[in-house]
Amino acid sequence: MSANEKTTKEILKECLSSQHRRALYSPEALEEIRREFVRWFSSAVGERDRESWRETPLTVLGSDVPRELLYTPLSNPDLDYLRDLGFSGVEPFTRGIHANMYRGKKFTMRQLTGFGSPEDTNARIKFMLEHGATGLNVLFDVPTIQMYDSDDPMAAGQVGMSGVCVDSVEDMDLLFRDIPLDEVTISIVSHYPSNTAILFSMFLVLAEERGIPWDRLRGSVQNDTTMEELVRSGSEYIPPRDCFRIQCDNIEFIKTHVPRWNYITLNGYNLREFGTSSITEMAVALSNGIETLEDLLSRGYSVDNIGDRLAFFWSVGNDFFEEVARLRAVRRLWYKIMKYRFHARNPRAMWMRCHVQTSGVSLFQQEPLNNIIRAAYHALAAVLGGTQSLHVDSYDEAYSVPTEEAALLSLRTQQIIQEETGITHVVDPLGGSFYVEALTSEMEKRILDEIDEIEREGGYVAAIESGMLHKKIASYFAEQQRRLEKGEIRVVAYNVYKSDERLPDIDVFRYPQGVEERQKARLERLRSTRDSQRVEEALSALRDACRRKENILPYCLDCARARCTEGEMFKVFKEAYGLWRPHGFW
Amino acid sequence: MGEGKIKVLLAKLGLDVHNRGVLTVAKGLSSAGMEVVYMGNASPPEILEVALQEGVDVVGVSCLSGAHLTLGSSLMTLARERGLVGEMVFLIGGVFPPQDVERLKEMGFDAAFLPGTTMEEIVETIYSLVREKRAASLEPLNREEG
């Protein structure tokens, strides 16, 4: 962003202040409510409650927004029904992106799956689908996420852990064996732009080799610079500008060649879980969205065309009403940004579509079964907030990857919400609550304020380069830790109502044995049977493309076709782009 | 407790992506007056190499990737080969089943910290373990740092 450009907040202020607003409550009614309120306040409310009328709930990774004792029309006196809330499926989308919401399309039950070898994960995927999961969400192991091959010395001891290992297109084939790629929607949790370029290329080559046209594939990749440059701990980082360009290049390629694929998932989740407030989570993701659109518009795309497949990914945690309000707030704010900053006309481009995962850091090791209750409340808030898809964390995740039993329980939690509670029959059931509406407006205001802070730093990428975001996060999570340790944030069985000190021996997941050896052997076989000249040529073409700062996806596809491995491709990125050192957090 | 500053090396074990915990510990230990070297992600041989170069009292590794047993064991096997087990205090923290704490101690870790451990517990554990090790090697705690 250059100095003479207006910030998003300034643009919205300008556009919105000139609008004529029609207040829902008449001045006479408000006046009478005010009079009665004063009378009630001084007669029925005790002195202590009058003094602490506003109190701030201290919750895990919360916003610190103070709450009143009781909300009334006076909390939101100039509410304009049509401008602020309206109807579902139309502007400003506060109440939901579809007119009929869950009556029309149920939220997708998309549980994360990934551990061990591609065959192990394939079996778990089938198990989840057989039990009613409606989407796939594939998580990779640490070496795959960090773009090292299973036989790299750095990967030793970690192959197949906390995700599935994928080194080449052959592993991708085993992972999706018997899964009709064009029938289920597949979320490929390729966190970073770099590994999206690599892993999604392998996925596309797999589809190609199975004879499935790319335009029939539906699903999403993450492809998020925040994940690669801000949230991640890694030994090697490419520079943020290159990373951001790869993110935009991936979008451009996918938009053109895989038209039904969601090419970016702006990830607030991992940022918040890393240790940011519920507000910063959304401000950073939206700032990335804004800068990404600016970049793509400068390449000649129209916002209505390129803006229609951005998706967001949020963490939903303990503060129940705040979480509902936040999802509503960010839906309205994204709409305003698309409408007034980018002048979008296509309603799809104004949708804040999202996936929610329940908060993992809110789960504790003490009395792990309590986590079932926590995650169920998180999930309920996500659905009341109008999410499009959901993953419910399992109660044993503070111990290890979920067991099959725990993973099934998470899926059942979703199915119980969907089938038994009745909450999906009515759209935005909390809309109109004096409290929820006031909190929604407050959340929206605070998210926009933090976007403004980032834009004044020079924008999203600049705020990463300068270390501003790293510092903000570090000071927030240090304070979180202090509050938890002092018991200011109250956590049952951890710092209040503590019982037996001994942690229970729950049945924990143990990784399958021998994955690393099998994977190494498979790689050795691959390296000795593939056409090494073709491999070298593909890698060298990729290197040249990186140096020319060209879109690398077509070259990654050629590498995948030639059976290049993930580690080989990442090595090329490092050589061509050089390495960057992120700012220290402490 | 003597005046000598305790020197601690902290690292992420292997390629694990989660670093909030170890960063919080790094900050906490420096606030408690210890000298902290944080090396980010590193393999067991790299960690020991830096531990020797820096002459640290304590090596603390963080692991939330599920590799605490495999990488933990390779770290401690190497440490034993290089004769560091009696010399330095070895700590591990992260997300792992409580049942694994004993196994990690059998490998040679002096302590293993599960989620929910407070900074105070970590600081106290380090003080008492360093005191024990220095007493065993007849080295005063307030030695000159090299």
Side-chain angles (χ1 to χ4, degrees), chain A residues 366-367 493 497-504:
Chain A
Q366 290 75 14
E367 299 184 15
Y497 308 112
K498 288 203 274 193
S499 53
D500 183 51
E501 285 288 311
R502 212 179 65 84
L503 293 166

PDB file of all heavy atoms in Angstrom, chain A residues 366-367 493 497-504:
ATOM      1  N   GLN A 366      -5.805 -32.538  31.615  1.00  0.00           N
ATOM      2  CA  GLN A 366      -6.450 -32.946  32.861  1.00  0.00           C
ATOM      3  C   GLN A 366      -7.900 -33.349  32.569  1.00  0.00           C
ATOM      4  O   GLN A 366      -8.626 -32.597  31.931  1.00  0.00           O
ATOM      5  CB  GLN A 366      -6.439 -31.800  33.877  1.00  0.00           C
ATOM      6  CG  GLN A 366      -5.067 -31.467  34.446  1.00  0.00           C
ATOM      7  CD  GLN A 366      -4.185 -30.718  33.459  1.00  0.00           C
ATOM      8  OE1 GLN A 366      -4.649 -30.215  32.449  1.00  0.00           O
ATOM      9  NE2 GLN A 366      -2.903 -30.651  33.770  1.00  0.00           N
ATOM     10  N   GLU A 367      -8.309 -34.486  33.070  1.00  0.00           N
ATOM     11  CA  GLU A 367      -9.665 -34.997  32.841  1.00  0.00           C
ATOM     12  C   GLU A 367     -10.073 -34.835  31.376  1.00  0.00           C
ATOM     13  O   GLU A 367     -10.939 -34.036  31.032  1.00  0.00           O
ATOM     14  CB  GLU A 367     -10.678 -34.284  33.752  1.00  0.00           C
ATOM     15  CG  GLU A 367     -10.384 -34.491  35.229  1.00  0.00           C
ATOM     16  CD  GLU A 367     -11.441 -33.859  36.134  1.00  0.00           C
ATOM     17  OE1 GLU A 367     -12.535 -33.500  35.656  1.00  0.00           O
ATOM     18  OE2 GLU A 367     -11.156 -33.738  37.326  1.00  0.00           O
ATOM     19  N   ALA A 493     -10.696 -28.156  36.141  1.00  0.00           N
ATOM     20  CA  ALA A 493      -9.813 -29.300  36.373  1.00  0.00           C
ATOM     21  C   ALA A 493      -8.351 -29.001  36.055  1.00  0.00           C
ATOM     22  O   ALA A 493      -7.483 -29.844  36.242  1.00  0.00           O
ATOM     23  CB  ALA A 493     -10.262 -30.562  35.637  1.00  0.00           C
ATOM     24  N   TYR A 497     -11.343 -26.235  40.413  1.00  0.00           N
ATOM     25  CA  TYR A 497     -11.920 -27.571  40.627  1.00  0.00           C
ATOM     26  C   TYR A 497     -10.926 -28.667  40.262  1.00  0.00           C
ATOM     27  O   TYR A 497     -11.265 -29.631  39.583  1.00  0.00           O
ATOM     28  CB  TYR A 497     -13.205 -27.756  39.803  1.00  0.00           C
ATOM     29  CG  TYR A 497     -14.203 -26.653  39.998  1.00  0.00           C
ATOM     30  CD1 TYR A 497     -14.495 -25.761  38.967  1.00  0.00           C
ATOM     31  CD2 TYR A 497     -14.857 -26.481  41.221  1.00  0.00           C
ATOM     32  CE1 TYR A 497     -15.397 -24.726  39.153  1.00  0.00           C
ATOM     33  CE2 TYR A 497     -15.761 -25.439  41.399  1.00  0.00           C
ATOM     34  CZ  TYR A 497     -16.027 -24.575  40.362  1.00  0.00           C
ATOM     35  OH  TYR A 497     -16.907 -23.561  40.536  1.00  0.00           O
ATOM     36  N   LYS A 498      -9.718 -28.470  40.704  1.00  0.00           N
ATOM     37  CA  LYS A 498      -8.710 -29.502  40.420  1.00  0.00           C
ATOM     38  C   LYS A 498      -8.996 -30.725  41.264  1.00  0.00           C
ATOM     39  O   LYS A 498      -9.344 -30.611  42.433  1.00  0.00           O
ATOM     40  CB  LYS A 498      -7.313 -28.973  40.758  1.00  0.00           C
ATOM     41  CG  LYS A 498      -6.831 -27.927  39.782  1.00  0.00           C
ATOM     42  CD  LYS A 498      -5.323 -27.843  39.785  1.00  0.00           C
ATOM     43  CE  LYS A 498      -4.845 -26.917  40.877  1.00  0.00           C
ATOM     44  NZ  LYS A 498      -3.425 -26.577  40.727  1.00  0.00           N
ATOM     45  N   SER A 499      -8.872 -31.884  40.654  1.00  0.00           N
ATOM     46  CA  SER A 499      -9.090 -33.081  41.454  1.00  0.00           C
ATOM     47  C   SER A 499      -7.789 -33.870  41.529  1.00  0.00           C
ATOM     48  O   SER A 499      -6.710 -33.299  41.555  1.00  0.00           O
ATOM     49  CB  SER A 499     -10.214 -33.904  40.849  1.00  0.00           C
ATOM     50  OG  SER A 499      -9.946 -34.147  39.496  1.00  0.00           O
ATOM     51  N   ASP A 500      -7.888 -35.143  41.499  1.00  0.00           N
ATOM     52  CA  ASP A 500      -6.752 -36.049  41.495  1.00  0.00           C
ATOM     53  C   ASP A 500      -5.645 -35.554  40.565  1.00  0.00           C
ATOM     54  O   ASP A 500      -5.885 -35.283  39.390  1.00  0.00           O
ATOM     55  CB  ASP A 500      -7.281 -37.420  41.025  1.00  0.00           C
ATOM     56  CG  ASP A 500      -6.206 -38.466  41.058  1.00  0.00           C
ATOM     57  OD1 ASP A 500      -5.561 -38.579  42.103  1.00  0.00           O
ATOM     58  OD2 ASP A 500      -6.015 -39.121  40.030  1.00  0.00           O
ATOM     59  N   GLU A 501      -4.448 -35.412  41.065  1.00  0.00           N
ATOM     60  CA  GLU A 501      -3.350 -34.843  40.278  1.00  0.00           C
ATOM     61  C   GLU A 501      -2.909 -35.748  39.130  1.00  0.00           C
ATOM     62  O   GLU A 501      -2.401 -35.278  38.131  1.00  0.00           O
ATOM     63  CB  GLU A 501      -2.143 -34.580  41.180  1.00  0.00           C
ATOM     64  CG  GLU A 501      -2.299 -33.364  42.084  1.00  0.00           C
ATOM     65  CD  GLU A 501      -2.216 -32.059  41.301  1.00  0.00           C
ATOM     66  OE1 GLU A 501      -1.268 -31.905  40.515  1.00  0.00           O
ATOM     67  OE2 GLU A 501      -3.112 -31.205  41.467  1.00  0.00           O
ATOM     68  N   ARG A 502      -3.124 -37.057  39.326  1.00  0.00           N
ATOM     69  CA  ARG A 502      -2.611 -37.998  38.329  1.00  0.00           C
ATOM     70  C   ARG A 502      -3.410 -37.907  37.030  1.00  0.00           C
ATOM     71  O   ARG A 502      -4.629 -37.846  37.051  1.00  0.00           O
ATOM     72  CB  ARG A 502      -2.725 -39.420  38.883  1.00  0.00           C
ATOM     73  CG  ARG A 502      -1.644 -40.375  38.419  1.00  0.00           C
ATOM     74  CD  ARG A 502      -1.875 -41.739  39.082  1.00  0.00           C
ATOM     75  NE  ARG A 502      -3.135 -42.320  38.619  1.00  0.00           N
ATOM     76  CZ  ARG A 502      -3.257 -43.020  37.496  1.00  0.00           C
ATOM     77  NH1 ARG A 502      -2.218 -43.198  36.708  1.00  0.00           N
ATOM     78  NH2 ARG A 502      -4.432 -43.528  37.158  1.00  0.00           N
ATOM     79  N   LEU A 503      -2.701 -37.894  35.918  1.00  0.00           N
ATOM     80  CA  LEU A 503      -3.410 -37.862  34.634  1.00  0.00           C
ATOM     81  C   LEU A 503      -3.877 -39.276  34.305  1.00  0.00           C
ATOM     82  O   LEU A 503      -3.153 -40.238  34.542  1.00  0.00           O
ATOM     83  CB  LEU A 503      -2.478 -37.356  33.535  1.00  0.00           C
ATOM     84  CG  LEU A 503      -2.081 -35.885  33.691  1.00  0.00           C
ATOM     85  CD1 LEU A 503      -0.909 -35.564  32.791  1.00  0.00           C
ATOM     86  CD2 LEU A 503      -3.248 -34.966  33.366  1.00  0.00           C
ATOM     87  N   PRO A 504      -5.082 -39.421  33.800  1.00  0.00           N
ATOM     88  CA  PRO A 504      -5.597 -40.762  33.539  1.00  0.00           C
ATOM     89  C   PRO A 504      -4.900 -41.411  32.347  1.00  0.00           C
ATOM     90  O   PRO A 504      -4.434 -40.727  31.438  1.00  0.00           O
ATOM     91  CB  PRO A 504      -7.066 -40.506  33.217  1.00  0.00           C
ATOM     92  CG  PRO A 504      -7.096 -39.107  32.707  1.00  0.00           C
ATOM     93  CD  PRO A 504      -5.994 -38.366  33.392  1.00  0.00           C
TER      94      PRO A 504
END
